[in-house]
Amino acid sequence: MSNTDVRRDLDTSRPHSARMYDYYLGGKDHFPVDKQAAQAVAEAYPGIFTCARENRAFMHRATRVLAEEHGIRQWLDIGTGIPTEPNVHQVAQSVVPEARVVYADNDPLVLKYAERLMRSTPQGRTTYIEADVNDPEALLGAPELAEVLDLSRPVALSLNALMHFITDAADPYGIVNRVMAALPSGSALALSHCTPDFDPPTWEKVTDIYAGAGTPVQFRAQDDVARFFEELDLLDPGVTVGHRWRPTRPLGPEAPTDAQVSLWAGVGIKR
C-alpha cells in the first residue's frame, strides 16, 4: 500500500484508539479529533498518561525477561499501535540480536509508519502484517508471518493494552486461546489490560468516552484478566498492577498509585 493509499484510507473524522494512545505517550502521530477525545479521557482520568507509560514499561520488562530468562527468540506483537521507541524488536534484539518479531495491526496509520518496525539487526528479522486480532485464522495464515516465525519453536505472544478493545461479544478468551493453540510448548503470553477495579466511576466515564468515539471497550477486573492465563504457568508475581510486575528498582514514595496505573499485567508460559 502506498502512502497515498494510506492517507486516503485514514478516517480523520473520528478518534482512533491507537492515535489517542500516541497522544497519551506524548507522540505527534495523531489528529485534532484524537487529541480532543484523549483530552476528554484525561479530564476524567488524569492517570491515563501514567497508565500509558507504565504499559510501555511493562512491555519492555516482560520482553527482556522472556529473552534473558526463558530463551524466547520470537515474538508476535498484535495491536502494535503507532511505533514508539524502543519497540519490541529493539528490546529483544538488545538481549538476543537474532530475535525475530512479527508486528500486526489493522490501522492504516500504523501501516504508514511500519518501516520503523522493520529496522532489524542483521542477525534478526522483523516484519509488519496488516491483520485484525478478531480474525486469528487469517493472522496466523499470513505468508509474511511464516517467513519470519518458526511456529515449531517457542513464540511470545505480546498483547499490550489490546484486549480491552475486544468485548465479550467478540469472544476475547477464544481469540487468545486460538492463537496460543498455534504456538508450541514453551511459548509465552505477555498481556496488559486496563481495569476499573481501583476507581469504577472514573472508568465508567472513560468507557462512555470511547463508546461515544465509536470504539467499544470492556475494561475488566483482575479475575477476568487472569482468565487469559488459565492454561498457562504464570510467572511471579502473577497478574498484578503493571508497575508492580518485576520493577527494575524498588518502588519508593514517588511511585504511582495503583489507581493511577489501573492496569493489570502478567506473563504466562505454555506447558
Side-chain angles (χ1 to χ4, degrees), residues 97-133:
E98 70 272 23
R100 291 173 167 247
V101 180
V102 169
Y103 294 101
D105 207 300
N106 66 338
D107 181 13
L109 187 61
V110 180
L111 178 60
K112 179 179 179 181
Y113 294 106
E115 69 271 9
R116 296 183 192 170
L117 301 173
M118 292 186 275
R119 296 172 185 165
S120 173
T121 58
Q123 305 96 314
R125 186 92 182 270
T126 68
T127 195
Y128 173 86
I129 58 176
E130 188 174 9
D132 191 331
V133 69

PDB file of all heavy atoms in Angstrom, residues 97-133:
ATOM      1  N   PRO A  97      20.491 -10.569  19.595  1.00  0.00           N
ATOM      2  CA  PRO A  97      20.459  -9.923  18.281  1.00  0.00           C
ATOM      3  C   PRO A  97      19.717 -10.733  17.220  1.00  0.00           C
ATOM      4  O   PRO A  97      19.230 -10.158  16.247  1.00  0.00           O
ATOM      5  CB  PRO A  97      21.935  -9.751  17.929  1.00  0.00           C
ATOM      6  CG  PRO A  97      22.627  -9.713  19.250  1.00  0.00           C
ATOM      7  CD  PRO A  97      21.868 -10.649  20.127  1.00  0.00           C
ATOM      8  N   GLU A  98      19.617 -12.052  17.403  1.00  0.00           N
ATOM      9  CA  GLU A  98      18.958 -12.883  16.405  1.00  0.00           C
ATOM     10  C   GLU A  98      17.445 -12.952  16.568  1.00  0.00           C
ATOM     11  O   GLU A  98      16.756 -13.675  15.834  1.00  0.00           O
ATOM     12  CB  GLU A  98      19.536 -14.301  16.441  1.00  0.00           C
ATOM     13  CG  GLU A  98      19.172 -15.120  17.679  1.00  0.00           C
ATOM     14  CD  GLU A  98      20.140 -14.938  18.838  1.00  0.00           C
ATOM     15  OE1 GLU A  98      20.823 -13.884  18.882  1.00  0.00           O
ATOM     16  OE2 GLU A  98      20.209 -15.836  19.700  1.00  0.00           O
ATOM     17  N   ALA A  99      16.877 -12.190  17.503  1.00  0.00           N
ATOM     18  CA  ALA A  99      15.431 -12.237  17.743  1.00  0.00           C
ATOM     19  C   ALA A  99      14.634 -11.870  16.495  1.00  0.00           C
ATOM     20  O   ALA A  99      15.040 -11.005  15.707  1.00  0.00           O
ATOM     21  CB  ALA A  99      15.064 -11.302  18.893  1.00  0.00           C
ATOM     22  N   ARG A 100      13.484 -12.546  16.353  1.00  0.00           N
ATOM     23  CA  ARG A 100      12.587 -12.308  15.222  1.00  0.00           C
ATOM     24  C   ARG A 100      11.240 -11.824  15.755  1.00  0.00           C
ATOM     25  O   ARG A 100      10.721 -12.386  16.722  1.00  0.00           O
ATOM     26  CB  ARG A 100      12.403 -13.596  14.413  1.00  0.00           C
ATOM     27  CG  ARG A 100      13.676 -14.015  13.679  1.00  0.00           C
ATOM     28  CD  ARG A 100      13.559 -15.367  13.007  1.00  0.00           C
ATOM     29  NE  ARG A 100      14.679 -15.554  12.081  1.00  0.00           N
ATOM     30  CZ  ARG A 100      14.556 -15.623  10.764  1.00  0.00           C
ATOM     31  NH1 ARG A 100      13.355 -15.553  10.204  1.00  0.00           N
ATOM     32  NH2 ARG A 100      15.621 -15.775   9.997  1.00  0.00           N
ATOM     33  N   VAL A 101      10.686 -10.816  15.106  1.00  0.00           N
ATOM     34  CA  VAL A 101       9.455 -10.202  15.590  1.00  0.00           C
ATOM     35  C   VAL A 101       8.509  -9.940  14.426  1.00  0.00           C
ATOM     36  O   VAL A 101       8.910  -9.380  13.402  1.00  0.00           O
ATOM     37  CB  VAL A 101       9.738  -8.873  16.330  1.00  0.00           C
ATOM     38  CG1 VAL A 101       8.430  -8.252  16.825  1.00  0.00           C
ATOM     39  CG2 VAL A 101      10.701  -9.091  17.497  1.00  0.00           C
ATOM     40  N   VAL A 102       7.254 -10.355  14.605  1.00  0.00           N
ATOM     41  CA  VAL A 102       6.187 -10.012  13.661  1.00  0.00           C
ATOM     42  C   VAL A 102       5.226  -9.072  14.366  1.00  0.00           C
ATOM     43  O   VAL A 102       4.713  -9.387  15.452  1.00  0.00           O
ATOM     44  CB  VAL A 102       5.432 -11.268  13.162  1.00  0.00           C
ATOM     45  CG1 VAL A 102       4.170 -10.857  12.399  1.00  0.00           C
ATOM     46  CG2 VAL A 102       6.339 -12.108  12.287  1.00  0.00           C
ATOM     47  N   TYR A 103       5.000  -7.919  13.776  1.00  0.00           N
ATOM     48  CA  TYR A 103       4.036  -6.952  14.275  1.00  0.00           C
ATOM     49  C   TYR A 103       2.755  -7.068  13.457  1.00  0.00           C
ATOM     50  O   TYR A 103       2.806  -7.258  12.233  1.00  0.00           O
ATOM     51  CB  TYR A 103       4.575  -5.534  14.138  1.00  0.00           C
ATOM     52  CG  TYR A 103       5.782  -5.222  14.996  1.00  0.00           C
ATOM     53  CD1 TYR A 103       7.070  -5.218  14.442  1.00  0.00           C
ATOM     54  CD2 TYR A 103       5.643  -4.918  16.338  1.00  0.00           C
ATOM     55  CE1 TYR A 103       8.175  -4.916  15.218  1.00  0.00           C
ATOM     56  CE2 TYR A 103       6.749  -4.614  17.125  1.00  0.00           C
ATOM     57  CZ  TYR A 103       8.008  -4.610  16.558  1.00  0.00           C
ATOM     58  OH  TYR A 103       9.112  -4.316  17.326  1.00  0.00           O
ATOM     59  N   ALA A 104       1.615  -6.920  14.127  1.00  0.00           N
ATOM     60  CA  ALA A 104       0.329  -6.993  13.424  1.00  0.00           C
ATOM     61  C   ALA A 104      -0.600  -5.904  13.947  1.00  0.00           C
ATOM     62  O   ALA A 104      -0.730  -5.711  15.160  1.00  0.00           O
ATOM     63  CB  ALA A 104      -0.313  -8.363  13.611  1.00  0.00           C
ATOM     64  N   ASP A 105      -1.232  -5.195  13.022  1.00  0.00           N
ATOM     65  CA  ASP A 105      -2.220  -4.183  13.377  1.00  0.00           C
ATOM     66  C   ASP A 105      -3.116  -3.972  12.164  1.00  0.00           C
ATOM     67  O   ASP A 105      -2.754  -4.366  11.041  1.00  0.00           O
ATOM     68  CB  ASP A 105      -1.549  -2.868  13.803  1.00  0.00           C
ATOM     69  CG  ASP A 105      -2.410  -2.055  14.755  1.00  0.00           C
ATOM     70  OD1 ASP A 105      -3.537  -1.690  14.355  1.00  0.00           O
ATOM     71  OD2 ASP A 105      -1.966  -1.787  15.884  1.00  0.00           O
ATOM     72  N   ASN A 106      -4.263  -3.346  12.390  1.00  0.00           N
ATOM     73  CA  ASN A 106      -5.179  -3.115  11.272  1.00  0.00           C
ATOM     74  C   ASN A 106      -5.482  -1.638  11.073  1.00  0.00           C
ATOM     75  O   ASN A 106      -6.457  -1.286  10.420  1.00  0.00           O
ATOM     76  CB  ASN A 106      -6.488  -3.891  11.477  1.00  0.00           C
ATOM     77  CG  ASN A 106      -7.291  -3.386  12.677  1.00  0.00           C
ATOM     78  OD1 ASN A 106      -6.736  -2.760  13.571  1.00  0.00           O
ATOM     79  ND2 ASN A 106      -8.586  -3.653  12.704  1.00  0.00           N
ATOM     80  N   ASP A 107      -4.636  -0.768  11.629  1.00  0.00           N
ATOM     81  CA  ASP A 107      -4.833   0.672  11.467  1.00  0.00           C
ATOM     82  C   ASP A 107      -3.960   1.187  10.332  1.00  0.00           C
ATOM     83  O   ASP A 107      -2.740   1.012  10.353  1.00  0.00           O
ATOM     84  CB  ASP A 107      -4.468   1.385  12.771  1.00  0.00           C
ATOM     85  CG  ASP A 107      -4.666   2.892  12.675  1.00  0.00           C
ATOM     86  OD1 ASP A 107      -5.295   3.353  11.712  1.00  0.00           O
ATOM     87  OD2 ASP A 107      -4.183   3.605  13.573  1.00  0.00           O
ATOM     88  N   PRO A 108      -4.542   1.829   9.318  1.00  0.00           N
ATOM     89  CA  PRO A 108      -3.739   2.331   8.197  1.00  0.00           C
ATOM     90  C   PRO A 108      -2.627   3.277   8.632  1.00  0.00           C
ATOM     91  O   PRO A 108      -1.576   3.327   8.003  1.00  0.00           O
ATOM     92  CB  PRO A 108      -4.771   3.058   7.316  1.00  0.00           C
ATOM     93  CG  PRO A 108      -6.066   2.392   7.633  1.00  0.00           C
ATOM     94  CD  PRO A 108      -5.996   2.040   9.090  1.00  0.00           C
ATOM     95  N   LEU A 109      -2.836   4.038   9.729  1.00  0.00           N
ATOM     96  CA  LEU A 109      -1.778   4.940  10.166  1.00  0.00           C
ATOM     97  C   LEU A 109      -0.575   4.159  10.684  1.00  0.00           C
ATOM     98  O   LEU A 109       0.569   4.561  10.478  1.00  0.00           O
ATOM     99  CB  LEU A 109      -2.296   5.878  11.262  1.00  0.00           C
ATOM    100  CG  LEU A 109      -1.321   6.991  11.676  1.00  0.00           C
ATOM    101  CD1 LEU A 109      -1.015   7.901  10.490  1.00  0.00           C
ATOM    102  CD2 LEU A 109      -1.855   7.780  12.844  1.00  0.00           C
ATOM    103  N   VAL A 110      -0.834   3.024  11.334  1.00  0.00           N
ATOM    104  CA  VAL A 110       0.272   2.182  11.783  1.00  0.00           C
ATOM    105  C   VAL A 110       1.042   1.661  10.571  1.00  0.00           C
ATOM    106  O   VAL A 110       2.275   1.629  10.562  1.00  0.00           O
ATOM    107  CB  VAL A 110      -0.237   1.009  12.646  1.00  0.00           C
ATOM    108  CG1 VAL A 110       0.926   0.134  13.105  1.00  0.00           C
ATOM    109  CG2 VAL A 110      -1.007   1.536  13.850  1.00  0.00           C
ATOM    110  N   LEU A 111       0.317   1.262   9.534  1.00  0.00           N
ATOM    111  CA  LEU A 111       0.957   0.785   8.310  1.00  0.00           C
ATOM    112  C   LEU A 111       1.844   1.883   7.709  1.00  0.00           C
ATOM    113  O   LEU A 111       2.948   1.604   7.210  1.00  0.00           O
ATOM    114  CB  LEU A 111      -0.114   0.352   7.304  1.00  0.00           C
ATOM    115  CG  LEU A 111       0.385  -0.128   5.943  1.00  0.00           C
ATOM    116  CD1 LEU A 111       1.296  -1.334   6.092  1.00  0.00           C
ATOM    117  CD2 LEU A 111      -0.798  -0.459   5.032  1.00  0.00           C
ATOM    118  N   LYS A 112       1.395   3.120   7.785  1.00  0.00           N
ATOM    119  CA  LYS A 112       2.164   4.227   7.227  1.00  0.00           C
ATOM    120  C   LYS A 112       3.548   4.329   7.864  1.00  0.00           C
ATOM    121  O   LYS A 112       4.528   4.674   7.190  1.00  0.00           O
ATOM    122  CB  LYS A 112       1.390   5.540   7.436  1.00  0.00           C
ATOM    123  CG  LYS A 112       2.110   6.776   6.910  1.00  0.00           C
ATOM    124  CD  LYS A 112       1.284   8.021   7.135  1.00  0.00           C
ATOM    125  CE  LYS A 112       2.019   9.257   6.641  1.00  0.00           C
ATOM    126  NZ  LYS A 112       1.253  10.500   6.875  1.00  0.00           N
ATOM    127  N   TYR A 113       3.627   4.020   9.147  1.00  0.00           N
ATOM    128  CA  TYR A 113       4.892   4.149   9.862  1.00  0.00           C
ATOM    129  C   TYR A 113       5.570   2.803  10.100  1.00  0.00           C
ATOM    130  O   TYR A 113       6.499   2.703  10.896  1.00  0.00           O
ATOM    131  CB  TYR A 113       4.664   4.849  11.200  1.00  0.00           C
ATOM    132  CG  TYR A 113       4.236   6.284  11.044  1.00  0.00           C
ATOM    133  CD1 TYR A 113       2.927   6.674  11.272  1.00  0.00           C
ATOM    134  CD2 TYR A 113       5.153   7.258  10.636  1.00  0.00           C
ATOM    135  CE1 TYR A 113       2.530   8.000  11.116  1.00  0.00           C
ATOM    136  CE2 TYR A 113       4.770   8.574  10.475  1.00  0.00           C
ATOM    137  CZ  TYR A 113       3.455   8.946  10.717  1.00  0.00           C
ATOM    138  OH  TYR A 113       3.075  10.250  10.547  1.00  0.00           O
ATOM    139  N   ALA A 114       5.112   1.770   9.394  1.00  0.00           N
ATOM    140  CA  ALA A 114       5.606   0.418   9.664  1.00  0.00           C
ATOM    141  C   ALA A 114       7.088   0.250   9.370  1.00  0.00           C
ATOM    142  O   ALA A 114       7.715  -0.650   9.916  1.00  0.00           O
ATOM    143  CB  ALA A 114       4.796  -0.606   8.855  1.00  0.00           C
ATOM    144  N   GLU A 115       7.656   1.116   8.528  1.00  0.00           N
ATOM    145  CA  GLU A 115       9.085   0.953   8.243  1.00  0.00           C
ATOM    146  C   GLU A 115       9.920   1.122   9.513  1.00  0.00           C
ATOM    147  O   GLU A 115      11.012   0.573   9.625  1.00  0.00           O
ATOM    148  CB  GLU A 115       9.541   1.951   7.170  1.00  0.00           C
ATOM    149  CG  GLU A 115       9.564   3.405   7.591  1.00  0.00           C
ATOM    150  CD  GLU A 115       8.227   4.112   7.350  1.00  0.00           C
ATOM    151  OE1 GLU A 115       7.242   3.418   7.022  1.00  0.00           O
ATOM    152  OE2 GLU A 115       8.182   5.348   7.480  1.00  0.00           O
ATOM    153  N   ARG A 116       9.388   1.849  10.497  1.00  0.00           N
ATOM    154  CA  ARG A 116      10.091   1.986  11.778  1.00  0.00           C
ATOM    155  C   ARG A 116      10.207   0.630  12.482  1.00  0.00           C
ATOM    156  O   ARG A 116      11.100   0.433  13.299  1.00  0.00           O
ATOM    157  CB  ARG A 116       9.343   2.937  12.703  1.00  0.00           C
ATOM    158  CG  ARG A 116       9.235   4.370  12.233  1.00  0.00           C
ATOM    159  CD  ARG A 116       8.541   5.178  13.306  1.00  0.00           C
ATOM    160  NE  ARG A 116       8.135   6.489  12.844  1.00  0.00           N
ATOM    161  CZ  ARG A 116       7.340   7.307  13.529  1.00  0.00           C
ATOM    162  NH1 ARG A 116       6.889   6.932  14.710  1.00  0.00           N
ATOM    163  NH2 ARG A 116       6.996   8.476  13.057  1.00  0.00           N
ATOM    164  N   LEU A 117       9.269  -0.261  12.181  1.00  0.00           N
ATOM    165  CA  LEU A 117       9.231  -1.558  12.850  1.00  0.00           C
ATOM    166  C   LEU A 117      10.071  -2.606  12.131  1.00  0.00           C
ATOM    167  O   LEU A 117      10.144  -3.740  12.570  1.00  0.00           O
ATOM    168  CB  LEU A 117       7.780  -2.058  12.939  1.00  0.00           C
ATOM    169  CG  LEU A 117       6.810  -1.143  13.680  1.00  0.00           C
ATOM    170  CD1 LEU A 117       5.387  -1.657  13.539  1.00  0.00           C
ATOM    171  CD2 LEU A 117       7.199  -1.041  15.147  1.00  0.00           C
ATOM    172  N   MET A 118      10.688  -2.237  11.031  1.00  0.00           N
ATOM    173  CA  MET A 118      11.401  -3.232  10.235  1.00  0.00           C
ATOM    174  C   MET A 118      12.890  -2.901  10.105  1.00  0.00           C
ATOM    175  O   MET A 118      13.542  -3.287   9.157  1.00  0.00           O
ATOM    176  CB  MET A 118      10.737  -3.372   8.865  1.00  0.00           C
ATOM    177  CG  MET A 118       9.349  -4.002   8.998  1.00  0.00           C
ATOM    178  SD  MET A 118       8.522  -4.392   7.437  1.00  0.00           S
ATOM    179  CE  MET A 118       7.772  -2.827   7.049  1.00  0.00           C
ATOM    180  N   ARG A 119      13.411  -2.209  11.112  1.00  0.00           N
ATOM    181  CA  ARG A 119      14.841  -1.893  11.144  1.00  0.00           C
ATOM    182  C   ARG A 119      15.521  -2.882  12.081  1.00  0.00           C
ATOM    183  O   ARG A 119      15.868  -2.553  13.210  1.00  0.00           O
ATOM    184  CB  ARG A 119      15.047  -0.443  11.598  1.00  0.00           C
ATOM    185  CG  ARG A 119      14.451   0.566  10.616  1.00  0.00           C
ATOM    186  CD  ARG A 119      14.478   1.966  11.166  1.00  0.00           C
ATOM    187  NE  ARG A 119      13.807   2.905  10.258  1.00  0.00           N
ATOM    188  CZ  ARG A 119      13.438   4.139  10.613  1.00  0.00           C
ATOM    189  NH1 ARG A 119      13.682   4.579  11.833  1.00  0.00           N
ATOM    190  NH2 ARG A 119      12.825   4.930   9.751  1.00  0.00           N
ATOM    191  N   SER A 120      15.668  -4.080  11.610  1.00  0.00           N
ATOM    192  CA  SER A 120      16.182  -5.179  12.425  1.00  0.00           C
ATOM    193  C   SER A 120      17.697  -5.188  12.466  1.00  0.00           C
ATOM    194  O   SER A 120      18.367  -4.576  11.624  1.00  0.00           O
ATOM    195  CB  SER A 120      15.674  -6.505  11.844  1.00  0.00           C
ATOM    196  OG  SER A 120      16.254  -7.611  12.492  1.00  0.00           O
ATOM    197  N   THR A 121      18.228  -5.909  13.447  1.00  0.00           N
ATOM    198  CA  THR A 121      19.649  -6.226  13.422  1.00  0.00           C
ATOM    199  C   THR A 121      19.921  -7.140  12.228  1.00  0.00           C
ATOM    200  O   THR A 121      19.011  -7.823  11.737  1.00  0.00           O
ATOM    201  CB  THR A 121      20.059  -6.965  14.707  1.00  0.00           C
ATOM    202  OG1 THR A 121      19.270  -8.161  14.820  1.00  0.00           O
ATOM    203  CG2 THR A 121      19.853  -6.106  15.934  1.00  0.00           C
ATOM    204  N   PRO A 122      21.161  -7.202  11.752  1.00  0.00           N
ATOM    205  CA  PRO A 122      21.466  -8.117  10.645  1.00  0.00           C
ATOM    206  C   PRO A 122      21.179  -9.574  10.995  1.00  0.00           C
ATOM    207  O   PRO A 122      20.791 -10.358  10.131  1.00  0.00           O
ATOM    208  CB  PRO A 122      22.966  -7.882  10.405  1.00  0.00           C
ATOM    209  CG  PRO A 122      23.249  -6.532  10.959  1.00  0.00           C
ATOM    210  CD  PRO A 122      22.324  -6.364  12.116  1.00  0.00           C
ATOM    211  N   GLN A 123      21.355  -9.931  12.267  1.00  0.00           N
ATOM    212  CA  GLN A 123      21.156 -11.325  12.668  1.00  0.00           C
ATOM    213  C   GLN A 123      19.674 -11.688  12.825  1.00  0.00           C
ATOM    214  O   GLN A 123      19.303 -12.850  12.739  1.00  0.00           O
ATOM    215  CB  GLN A 123      21.859 -11.587  14.011  1.00  0.00           C
ATOM    216  CG  GLN A 123      23.330 -11.230  14.043  1.00  0.00           C
ATOM    217  CD  GLN A 123      23.558  -9.834  14.615  1.00  0.00           C
ATOM    218  OE1 GLN A 123      22.873  -8.889  14.243  1.00  0.00           O
ATOM    219  NE2 GLN A 123      24.526  -9.725  15.503  1.00  0.00           N
ATOM    220  N   GLY A 124      18.855 -10.705  13.096  1.00  0.00           N
ATOM    221  CA  GLY A 124      17.438 -10.964  13.361  1.00  0.00           C
ATOM    222  C   GLY A 124      16.560 -10.665  12.165  1.00  0.00           C
ATOM    223  O   GLY A 124      17.039 -10.504  11.039  1.00  0.00           O
ATOM    224  N   ARG A 125      15.261 -10.570  12.446  1.00  0.00           N
ATOM    225  CA  ARG A 125      14.313 -10.319  11.355  1.00  0.00           C
ATOM    226  C   ARG A 125      13.057  -9.702  11.951  1.00  0.00           C
ATOM    227  O   ARG A 125      12.611 -10.105  13.029  1.00  0.00           O
ATOM    228  CB  ARG A 125      13.984 -11.654  10.678  1.00  0.00           C
ATOM    229  CG  ARG A 125      13.121 -11.571   9.437  1.00  0.00           C
ATOM    230  CD  ARG A 125      13.935 -11.466   8.171  1.00  0.00           C
ATOM    231  NE  ARG A 125      13.040 -11.345   7.039  1.00  0.00           N
ATOM    232  CZ  ARG A 125      12.553 -12.361   6.350  1.00  0.00           C
ATOM    233  NH1 ARG A 125      12.892 -13.612   6.696  1.00  0.00           N
ATOM    234  NH2 ARG A 125      11.756 -12.168   5.311  1.00  0.00           N
ATOM    235  N   THR A 126      12.461  -8.746  11.272  1.00  0.00           N
ATOM    236  CA  THR A 126      11.163  -8.205  11.671  1.00  0.00           C
ATOM    237  C   THR A 126      10.314  -8.019  10.422  1.00  0.00           C
ATOM    238  O   THR A 126      10.828  -7.857   9.309  1.00  0.00           O
ATOM    239  CB  THR A 126      11.283  -6.836  12.386  1.00  0.00           C
ATOM    240  OG1 THR A 126      11.729  -5.848  11.456  1.00  0.00           O
ATOM    241  CG2 THR A 126      12.234  -6.902  13.576  1.00  0.00           C
ATOM    242  N   THR A 127       9.000  -8.028  10.639  1.00  0.00           N
ATOM    243  CA  THR A 127       8.083  -7.679   9.566  1.00  0.00           C
ATOM    244  C   THR A 127       6.795  -7.157  10.180  1.00  0.00           C
ATOM    245  O   THR A 127       6.555  -7.297  11.391  1.00  0.00           O
ATOM    246  CB  THR A 127       7.797  -8.870   8.632  1.00  0.00           C
ATOM    247  OG1 THR A 127       7.176  -8.379   7.428  1.00  0.00           O
ATOM    248  CG2 THR A 127       6.852  -9.875   9.287  1.00  0.00           C
ATOM    249  N   TYR A 128       5.984  -6.533   9.347  1.00  0.00           N
ATOM    250  CA  TYR A 128       4.690  -5.994   9.759  1.00  0.00           C
ATOM    251  C   TYR A 128       3.625  -6.571   8.851  1.00  0.00           C
ATOM    252  O   TYR A 128       3.789  -6.603   7.630  1.00  0.00           O
ATOM    253  CB  TYR A 128       4.686  -4.462   9.656  1.00  0.00           C
ATOM    254  CG  TYR A 128       3.324  -3.845   9.905  1.00  0.00           C
ATOM    255  CD1 TYR A 128       2.916  -3.567  11.210  1.00  0.00           C
ATOM    256  CD2 TYR A 128       2.453  -3.579   8.859  1.00  0.00           C
ATOM    257  CE1 TYR A 128       1.661  -3.016  11.442  1.00  0.00           C
ATOM    258  CE2 TYR A 128       1.210  -3.031   9.090  1.00  0.00           C
ATOM    259  CZ  TYR A 128       0.806  -2.750  10.388  1.00  0.00           C
ATOM    260  OH  TYR A 128      -0.432  -2.225  10.618  1.00  0.00           O
ATOM    261  N   ILE A 129       2.529  -7.041   9.451  1.00  0.00           N
ATOM    262  CA  ILE A 129       1.420  -7.528   8.644  1.00  0.00           C
ATOM    263  C   ILE A 129       0.150  -6.770   9.027  1.00  0.00           C
ATOM    264  O   ILE A 129      -0.051  -6.434  10.200  1.00  0.00           O
ATOM    265  CB  ILE A 129       1.193  -9.056   8.797  1.00  0.00           C
ATOM    266  CG1 ILE A 129       0.924  -9.446  10.250  1.00  0.00           C
ATOM    267  CG2 ILE A 129       2.375  -9.816   8.253  1.00  0.00           C
ATOM    268  CD1 ILE A 129       0.596 -10.931  10.418  1.00  0.00           C
ATOM    269  N   GLU A 130      -0.644  -6.459   8.030  1.00  0.00           N
ATOM    270  CA  GLU A 130      -1.937  -5.830   8.278  1.00  0.00           C
ATOM    271  C   GLU A 130      -2.923  -6.947   8.598  1.00  0.00           C
ATOM    272  O   GLU A 130      -3.250  -7.765   7.735  1.00  0.00           O
ATOM    273  CB  GLU A 130      -2.395  -5.024   7.065  1.00  0.00           C
ATOM    274  CG  GLU A 130      -3.638  -4.198   7.341  1.00  0.00           C
ATOM    275  CD  GLU A 130      -3.996  -3.281   6.177  1.00  0.00           C
ATOM    276  OE1 GLU A 130      -3.387  -3.421   5.102  1.00  0.00           O
ATOM    277  OE2 GLU A 130      -4.882  -2.432   6.359  1.00  0.00           O
ATOM    278  N   ALA A 131      -3.361  -7.012   9.849  1.00  0.00           N
ATOM    279  CA  ALA A 131      -4.214  -8.109  10.291  1.00  0.00           C
ATOM    280  C   ALA A 131      -5.031  -7.651  11.490  1.00  0.00           C
ATOM    281  O   ALA A 131      -4.661  -6.716  12.205  1.00  0.00           O
ATOM    282  CB  ALA A 131      -3.383  -9.334  10.649  1.00  0.00           C
ATOM    283  N   ASP A 132      -6.142  -8.332  11.714  1.00  0.00           N
ATOM    284  CA  ASP A 132      -7.082  -7.992  12.776  1.00  0.00           C
ATOM    285  C   ASP A 132      -7.109  -9.125  13.790  1.00  0.00           C
ATOM    286  O   ASP A 132      -7.294 -10.290  13.420  1.00  0.00           O
ATOM    287  CB  ASP A 132      -8.475  -7.785  12.179  1.00  0.00           C
ATOM    288  CG  ASP A 132      -9.449  -7.159  13.168  1.00  0.00           C
ATOM    289  OD1 ASP A 132      -9.290  -7.368  14.387  1.00  0.00           O
ATOM    290  OD2 ASP A 132     -10.390  -6.474  12.713  1.00  0.00           O
ATOM    291  N   VAL A 133      -6.942  -8.793  15.068  1.00  0.00           N
ATOM    292  CA  VAL A 133      -6.964  -9.824  16.108  1.00  0.00           C
ATOM    293  C   VAL A 133      -8.289 -10.582  16.127  1.00  0.00           C
ATOM    294  O   VAL A 133      -8.349 -11.731  16.575  1.00  0.00           O
ATOM    295  CB  VAL A 133      -6.668  -9.201  17.490  1.00  0.00           C
ATOM    296  CG1 VAL A 133      -7.818  -8.312  17.955  1.00  0.00           C
ATOM    297  CG2 VAL A 133      -6.353 -10.276  18.522  1.00  0.00           C
TER     298      VAL A 133
END
